[in-house]
């Protein structure tokens, strides 16, 4: 379980050497409330042990065991269950569920670090998981190195009470323009978990490639997934691989959100099945980057049978509440054709028990209030909030992670503008769009489109450190966020990012360690 930390205490090189304590912390995202206890600290040593209550569910035991193994606690690598009535022993880290702690919600937690023991309590297991991430950030970066296990690791005395601001804290990976192998996507899931991000939106189809096996329409992946931007080999995930990915994400409290773009951005599908085209002719596979030229033949019943089969298979494969239909940049249909398509597809998605999401262009359709609109440019998302719907904010001018940092950045695009780190961080979601108040905002998400990036290291370079800004926008309250404080805390994370092998951009706005 990879988790970033902030260096609040120095690591002792010998067991007898006491750490040098600093007056500040470097937790990202910044908690709702944190108080460091000067002069008090907890030391990880041979007698330390991770414990859970005897009646704790298996999920809690698993979280405790992951923490124990991370800390390298010798023979005590599995969390120990306390006997009935047994108090947590000295030197222990105690994870406990507190069902009556309603104010913590599904993801909040309380963390107490004292000289004798550490406790993390939460209403639900997700809160315990996020409390562990904060505990990790109170430890030095040396904990990330196997060679450091057994050295004197100290944790600053602290009291933390924390709950997230928004339900939706996400990132989008475009694996259609350039395909990412499953192990690379898992790495990104680890990164999201480190910063308490809880949604991974996967853009699984576009003009350049179809990336998930659909058994009732096998040529989508076999033919439509065979290439990518620039003409590379492409690739796709089998359903078995995708199920493995979903399980991996679920253990880290990350929800996979599958997107299959329609009715535009569909050339890979049109090239795979001629009957999806109005002229019954399959176009050639496409490896460029131009948009807006493709569209399903929305007047054909065959198209809706295709959508029905797609939603049915994906709904059975991915136990997520959401199905993203894309819906952006459609130039070949009339407004009426487009709206009728969106409304008909919404009915299909809802029939399969999923909550539809679409980019901002879907807002003028007659949508159910349960549908979610994802804002990315000037659109009419306020039409949806007026009917009681929710909006995800992904403003391209602020948190499109594929935009260049500055004019000298080799990777990335600049059609939405240059986005240096401060520009990505220093804005307020609740006042960003007229007529979209905080109560209508489900959360924030940073998309990373892949026209210019091929390898995982290139995806990482554009994502980091701006993804940390997205994490703090999604978790921390407006009152707690300050740019100068964020850049100070972020500088400490350079050491941790390096330790876990992230290829990040060293923004000149930050004094990196």
């Amino acid at each position: 379980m990879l988790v970033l930390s902030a260096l609040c205490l120095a690591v002792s090189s010998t067991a007898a050497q006491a750490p040098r304590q600093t007056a500040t912390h470097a937790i990202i995202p910044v908690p709702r409330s944190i108080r460091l206890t000067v002069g008090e600290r907890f030391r990880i040593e041979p007698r330390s042990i991770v414990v859970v209550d005897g009646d704790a569910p298996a999920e809690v035991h698993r979280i405790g065991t992951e923490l124990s193994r991370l800390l390298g606690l010798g023979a005590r690598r599995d969390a120990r269950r306390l006997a009935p009535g047994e108090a947590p022993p000295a030197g222990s880290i105690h994870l406990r569920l507190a069902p009556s702690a309603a104010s913590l919600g599904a993801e909040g937690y309380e963390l107490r670090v004292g000289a004798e023991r550490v406790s993390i309590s939460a209403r639900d297991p997700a809160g315990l998981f996020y409390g562990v991430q904060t505990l990790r950030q109170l430890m030095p970066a040396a904990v990330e190195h196997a060679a450091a296990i057994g050295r004197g690791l100290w944790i600053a005395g602290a009291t933390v009470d924390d709950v997230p601001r928004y339900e939706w804290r996400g990132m989008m990976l475009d694996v259609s323009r350039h395909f990412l192998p499953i192990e690379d996507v898992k790495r990104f899931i680890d990164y999201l978990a480190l910063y308490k991000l809880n949604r991974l939106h996967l853009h699984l189809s576009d003009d350049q490639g179809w990336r998930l096996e659909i058994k009732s329409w096998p040529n989508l992946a076999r033919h439509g997934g065979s290439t990518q931007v620039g003409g590379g080999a492409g690739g796709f995930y089998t359903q078995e691989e995708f199920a493995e990915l979903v399980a991996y994400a679920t253990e880290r409290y990350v929800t996979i959100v599958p997107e299959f773009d329609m009715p535009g951005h569909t050339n890979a599908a049109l090239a795979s099945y001629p009957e999806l085209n109005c002229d019954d002719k399959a176009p050639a596979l496409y490896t460029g980057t131009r948009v807006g030229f493709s569209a399903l033949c929305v007047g054909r019943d065959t198209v809706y049978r295709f959508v029905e089969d797609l939603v049915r298979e994906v709904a059975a494969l991915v136990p997520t509440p959401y199905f993203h239909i894309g819906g952006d940049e459609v130039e070949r249909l009339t407004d009426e054709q487009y709206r009728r398509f969106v409304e008909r597809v919404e009915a299909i998605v809802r029939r399969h028990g999923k909550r539809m999401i679409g980019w901002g262009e879907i807002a003028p359709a007659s949508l159910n209030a349960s549908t979610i609109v994802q804002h990315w440019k000037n659109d009419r998302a306020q039409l949806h909030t007026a009917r009681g719907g929710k909006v995800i904010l992904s403003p391209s001018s602020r948190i499109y992670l594929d935009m260049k940092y500055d004019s000298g950045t080799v990777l990335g695009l600049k059609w939405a503008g240059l986005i240096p780190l401060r520009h990505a961080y220093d804005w307020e979601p609740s006042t960003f769009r007229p007529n979209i108040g905080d109560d209508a905002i489900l959360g924030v998400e940073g998309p990373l489109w892949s026209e210019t990036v091929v390898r995982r290291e290139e995806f990482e370079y554009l994502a980091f450190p701006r993804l940390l800004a997205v994490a703090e926008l999604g978790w921390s309250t407006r009152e707690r966020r300050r740019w100068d404080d964020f850049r100070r805390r972020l500088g400490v994370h350079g050491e941790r990012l390096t330790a876990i092998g992230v290829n990040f951009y060293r923004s000149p706005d930050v004094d990196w360690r």
Side-chain angles (χ1 to χ4, degrees):
M1 176 171 54
L2 292 173
V3 185
L4 292 184
S5 75
L7 184 60
C8 292
L9 300 177
V11 185
S12 65
S13 58
T14 68
Q17 182 179 357
R20 174 179 59 85
Q21 189 167 349
T22 62
T24 57
H25 71 87
I27 297 168
I28 295 176
V30 65
R32 178 177 67 174
S33 170
I34 178 169
R35 178 173 56 84
L36 296 180
T37 308
V38 176
E40 190 168 37
R41 55 193 181 272
F42 179 87
R43 183 184 174 199
I44 303 296
E45 55 184 350
R47 73 186 181 110
S48 300
I49 188 170
V50 178
V51 299
V52 301
D53 293 340
D55 60 352
E59 190 174 358
V60 171
H61 187 263
R62 176 181 59 79
I63 295 169
T65 295
E66 287 294 328
L67 174 59
S68 181
R69 292 176 179 178
L70 185 68
L71 297 175
L73 296 180
R76 294 179 295 279
R77 292 181 66 84
D78 285 356
R80 180 167 76 80
R81 289 184 179 274
L82 297 171
E86 180 186 3
S92 67
I93 301 173
H94 181 205
L95 307 186
R96 61 178 291 268
L97 290 181
S100 62
S103 63
L104 295 177
E107 297 177 304
Y109 63 92
E110 295 175 346
L111 168 64
R112 306 289 183 264
V113 180
E116 287 296 314
R117 60 183 57 82
V118 174
S119 69
I120 304 174
S121 59
R123 194 196 76 181
D124 293 341
L128 292 178
F129 182 82
Y130 293 131
V132 167
Q133 315 316 308
T134 296
L135 181 67
R136 189 67 172 275
Q137 293 194 30
L138 288 170
M139 285 187 263
V143 74
E144 303 293 349
H145 296 286
I149 300 301
R151 296 169 63 182
L153 296 175
W154 299 81
I155 309 174
T159 299
V160 182
D161 295 278
D162 205 9
V163 294
R165 178 180 184 182
Y166 291 122
E167 172 186 341
W168 189 288
R169 308 177 304 278
M171 178 192 188
M172 189 212 78
L173 277 177
D174 172 13
V175 296
S176 183
R177 269 53 175 269
H178 283 106
F179 180 69
L180 273 181
I182 201 94
E183 292 305 317
D184 289 346
V185 179
K186 286 181 178 180
R187 285 285 294 268
F188 268 96
I189 291 170
D190 288 335
Y191 302 155
L192 297 184
L194 304 181
Y195 290 108
K196 305 183 178 78
L197 291 153
N198 65 356
R199 301 288 189 271
L200 178 59
H201 169 183
L202 290 175
H203 185 74
L204 290 162
S205 74
D206 211 296
D207 291 315
Q208 299 87 352
W210 187 283
R211 304 305 180 202
L212 179 63
E213 174 191 28
I214 303 300
K215 297 194 178 195
S216 56
W217 297 73
N219 218 35
L220 290 169
R222 189 167 53 224
H223 182 65
S226 64
T227 190
Q228 58 187 13
V229 166
F236 65 90
Y237 311 117
T238 67
Q239 291 199 1
E240 293 72 22
E241 288 173 330
F242 205 74
E244 174 192 333
L245 182 70
V246 170
Y248 188 90
T250 299
E251 286 191 349
R252 290 149 181 82
Y253 299 92
V254 173
T255 298
I256 298 292
V257 181
E259 178 192 349
F260 296 89
D261 213 340
M262 60 180 88
H265 287 272
T266 50
N267 194 80
L270 300 176
S272 301
Y273 286 97
E275 59 266 40
L276 300 179
N277 299 275
C278 289
D279 61 4
D280 291 308
K281 296 179 181 178
L285 291 170
Y286 181 68
T287 61
T289 58
R290 182 169 59 90
V291 300
F293 64 90
S294 63
L296 296 168
C297 188
V298 298
R300 284 193 166 187
D301 288 341
T302 303
V303 166
Y304 298 98
R305 180 170 62 83
F306 160 72
V307 174
E308 182 87 39
D309 289 342
L310 171 63
V311 176
R312 173 180 51 79
E313 286 200 33
V314 174
L317 180 66
V318 186
T320 175
Y322 312 106
F323 190 97
H324 202 305
I325 70 159
D328 58 319
E329 298 177 320
V330 180
E331 299 176 5
R332 296 191 60 188
L333 301 178
T334 66
D335 289 347
E336 178 62 20
Q337 287 175 316
Y338 175 80
R339 286 194 297 270
R340 290 176 65 184
F341 173 84
V342 169
E343 291 160 9
R344 191 166 174 180
V345 170
E346 183 192 56
I348 293 172
V349 172
R350 296 188 67 219
R351 187 160 60 246
H352 287 278
K354 301 299 181 181
R355 189 175 180 184
M356 193 177 84
I357 308 173
W359 297 104
E361 287 92 327
I362 73 168
S366 180
L367 301 174
N368 187 274
S370 67
T371 289
I372 301 164
V373 170
Q374 187 164 5
H375 164 77
W376 68 283
K377 65 172 185 177
N378 289 332
D379 56 33
R380 301 169 70 188
Q382 67 273 11
L383 294 176
H384 191 53
T385 63
R387 62 173 73 102
K390 297 288 188 179
V391 172
I392 299 165
L393 292 183
S394 297
S396 55
S397 62
R398 290 286 185 170
I399 53 173
Y400 259 37
L401 303 177
D402 55 304
M403 294 298 109
K404 294 176 181 287
Y405 291 99
D406 56 36
S407 58
T409 308
V410 175
L411 298 173
L413 302 170
K414 57 182 181 181
W415 60 263
L418 303 175
I419 304 182
L421 176 64
R422 181 168 187 173
H423 192 65
Y425 179 84
D426 215 1
W427 61 284
E428 168 51 33
S430 67
T431 59
F432 186 74
R433 291 288 299 169
N435 304 314
I436 301 180
D438 214 36
D439 58 345
I441 298 172
L442 191 64
V444 295
E445 178 180 298
L448 203 172
W449 303 97
S450 66
E451 287 93 337
T452 69
V453 290
V454 180
R455 296 177 294 278
R456 172 178 54 81
E457 294 81 4
E458 296 170 340
F459 280 80
E460 290 173 354
Y461 184 81
L462 288 179
F464 288 94
R466 291 180 295 196
L467 187 60
L468 280 70
V470 176
E472 189 143 305
L473 283 162
W475 183 280
S476 305
T477 63
R478 179 180 186 176
E479 295 74 23
R480 295 289 289 161
R481 290 191 297 104
R482 297 186 303 278
W483 162 249
D484 286 340
D485 182 56
F486 175 73
R487 64 180 293 275
R488 176 194 61 78
R489 285 180 284 118
L490 180 58
V492 178
H493 282 258
E495 185 178 18
R496 190 59 55 98
L497 289 166
T498 300
I500 64 174
V502 176
N503 181 41
F504 67 98
Y505 169 69
R506 290 185 172 270
S507 168
D509 292 334
V510 176
D511 296 325
W512 297 99
R513 291 190 185 178

